Amino acid sequence: MEYTKLGNTEIEISKLCIGCMSFGKAGTMHDWTLDETESEKVIAHALDRGINFFDTANVYSAGTSEEYLGKALKKHTTRDKVVLASKVYFNEGRLSRKAIMREIDGTLKRLGTDYLDLYIIHRFDYDTPIDETMEALHELIKAGKVRALGASAMYGYQFHNMQLAAKDHGWTPFSAMENHYNLLYREDERELIPICKQMNVSLMPYSPLAAGHLSRPEWKSNSLRGTTDRVAMGKYDRSEEQDMEIVKRVHVLSLKYNCKMSQIAIAWQWAKGIASPIVGATKAQYLDDAVGALEIKLTAKDIEYLEELYVPHKIVGAIDKNPEQGVVLLDEKKLNKTV
């Protein structure tokens, strides 16, 4: 495994992050998540491969993701050997001071720890003043409950304004950005990613394999996730026709390098300056594939070949307003069900 520093901090993270949305009680958020026993197996395997970075959220599978992660880490490692990230926003009060103070305590209790290495705001809150949010997050740093701060999918100007608020008041700025980014979705290259690079904010994108579309030569999958993940369908199915041409190119390069398609997609992320793409593995072998991607070094010509056919996409990730309270699954595709 290779490691890098998180933003301007001294926190050392593996160049792969385990996305813990895959863990938790099935049916509380998704139907395809792993139970406690299977989650532990994947987490233990990640540790064996040198991965020390884990990303979860207060709302993943109604809190059971945090619970499963905390229990597994306690059995297989010590707290100082891992970097724990969790998120706040899809909860009552969003990013108000009251909500942040309440939610951090719930997260710490479920994880069984007294501090987080990285606390991420899950989206931009249109109802809470930026200053209120940034000051509350800074209070968590001062209290020792959090070591560093991060943000997730939002518009570039919003992230810039939040960073300016921190700078103007002497509060802690963001060190990480968890945004939607992969070969099939590159809209953040326009504004958000350049801002992050300018500020030395580490990029840790979610969905680096576009919900599996970049890991197989055909669009559809008959797996449990492939047939039930309505959020993934909502994100990607509308662009299937043009995006399949990019998928074909990933396949061509995988044959050239004699590797998995997923390894080409992840190697492209590192070639683009990504610090730690988030891999949501449901099987240990997927982690082995991801680690193996470190051996793939794409050329400038390879990257041009992969990127050439991209066309602008509808924004998926950043939101234009707060969703209704209780809504967690954004971009969900409603399936026609026969009774």
Side-chain angles (χ1 to χ4, degrees):
M1 181 48 56
E2 296 177 13
Y3 302 87
T4 187
K5 288 286 176 33
L6 183 74
N8 293 315
T9 76
E10 291 303 308
I11 300 172
E12 192 170 78
I13 57 172
S14 50
K15 291 188 71 173
L16 284 168
C17 178
I18 299 300
C20 300
M21 191 173 71
S22 302
F23 312 141
K25 186 177 179 182
T28 54
M29 182 176 179
H30 296 292
D31 297 330
W32 46 268
T33 48
L34 302 182
D35 64 20
E36 188 169 348
T37 300
E38 293 303 310
S39 296
E40 182 185 338
K41 289 179 182 177
V42 173
I43 293 164
H45 191 70
L47 293 168
D48 288 342
R49 296 309 308 259
I51 298 172
N52 72 345
F53 194 14
F54 296 84
D55 173 74
T56 184
N58 58 347
V59 292
Y60 287 171
S61 295
T64 57
S65 171
E66 290 179 328
E67 291 172 5
Y68 293 1
L69 177 63
K71 290 178 183 177
L73 292 176
K74 196 156 287 187
K75 284 178 67 174
H76 294 276
T77 188
T78 56
R79 179 66 185 86
D80 62 310
K81 295 289 196 298
V82 293
V83 178
L84 285 181
S86 194
K87 297 187 280 295
V88 59
Y89 170 83
F90 290 102
N91 43 257
E92 183 183 349
R94 305 292 183 192
L95 300 181
S96 66
R97 183 186 183 281
K98 180 180 179 181
I100 287 171
M101 296 302 166
R102 179 189 68 238
E103 293 300 321
I104 187 62
D105 287 342
T107 282
L108 295 177
K109 182 178 180 180
R110 288 187 291 272
L111 283 167
T113 183
D114 55 6
Y115 72 95
L116 273 184
D117 298 284
L118 179 64
Y119 203 29
I120 300 169
I121 58 169
H122 217 150
R123 289 296 186 275
F124 182 82
D125 183 2
Y126 286 88
D127 295 333
T128 303
I130 286 175
D131 282 3
E132 180 179 340
T133 295
M134 297 308 293
E135 185 175 23
L137 293 172
H138 181 65
E139 285 182 47
L140 299 185
I141 297 283
K142 290 195 298 181
K145 292 184 177 183
V146 174
R147 294 177 68 197
L149 301 175
S152 189
M154 62 179 63
Y155 293 105
Y157 80 92
Q158 295 169 334
F159 183 70
H160 190 261
N161 286 343
M162 298 188 91
Q163 292 287 69
L164 283 182
K167 182 179 180 181
D168 289 346
H169 292 89
W171 298 328
T172 307
F174 295 121
S175 298
M177 168 52 69
E178 180 175 334
N179 62 318
H180 182 204
Y181 188 55
N182 56 56
L183 275 164
L184 304 186
Y185 186 84
R186 294 167 44 205
E187 296 307 297
D188 283 351
E189 289 179 354
R190 305 172 193 277
E191 298 288 344
L192 184 61
I193 290 176
I195 291 169
C196 289
K197 289 184 176 180
Q198 176 185 320
M199 297 180 171
N200 197 33
V201 171
S202 290
L203 294 163
M204 45 180 291
Y206 64 85
S207 203
L209 302 181
H213 291 302
L214 292 168
S215 65
R216 56 180 183 266
E218 62 282 330
W219 190 259
K220 298 198 181 300
S221 164
N222 292 322
S223 68
L224 177 60
R225 181 173 185 180
T227 54
T228 64
D229 193 339
R230 300 184 304 277
V231 174
M233 295 173 192
K235 284 181 183 176
Y236 298 112
D237 281 0
R238 68 169 69 91
S239 307
E240 176 181 350
E241 186 176 348
Q242 60 263 43
D243 287 349
M244 263 309 296
E245 298 305 310
I246 299 171
V247 171
K248 290 175 185 176
R249 293 199 170 195
V250 175
H251 185 232
V252 168
L253 279 189
S254 73
L255 297 176
K256 171 186 172 182
Y257 284 94
N258 191 29
C259 68
K260 301 286 181 66
M261 288 176 62
S262 61
Q263 293 174 322
I264 296 294
I266 293 173
W268 173 83
Q269 296 251 335
W270 289 320
K272 300 294 286 187
I274 299 307
S276 186
I278 298 173
V279 179
T282 52
K283 295 180 181 177
Q285 70 189 62
Y286 297 157
L287 295 183
D288 294 334
D289 292 343
V291 173
L294 285 165
E295 299 175 14
I296 313 267
K297 305 301 178 188
L298 299 176
T299 66
K301 191 167 285 189
D302 291 333
I303 293 167
E304 182 182 355
Y305 176 71
L306 290 169
E307 295 181 353
E308 185 182 15
L309 300 181
Y310 185 79
V311 296
H313 283 53
K314 178 182 177 182
I315 298 297
V316 176
I319 55 178
D320 294 325
K321 62 180 184 298
N322 288 341
E324 291 182 20
Q325 195 66 57
V327 172
V328 176
L329 301 179
L330 303 176
D331 306 300
E332 186 175 11
K333 184 176 183 179
K334 304 300 182 185
L335 300 180
N336 293 323
K337 295 183 178 181
T338 56
V339 179

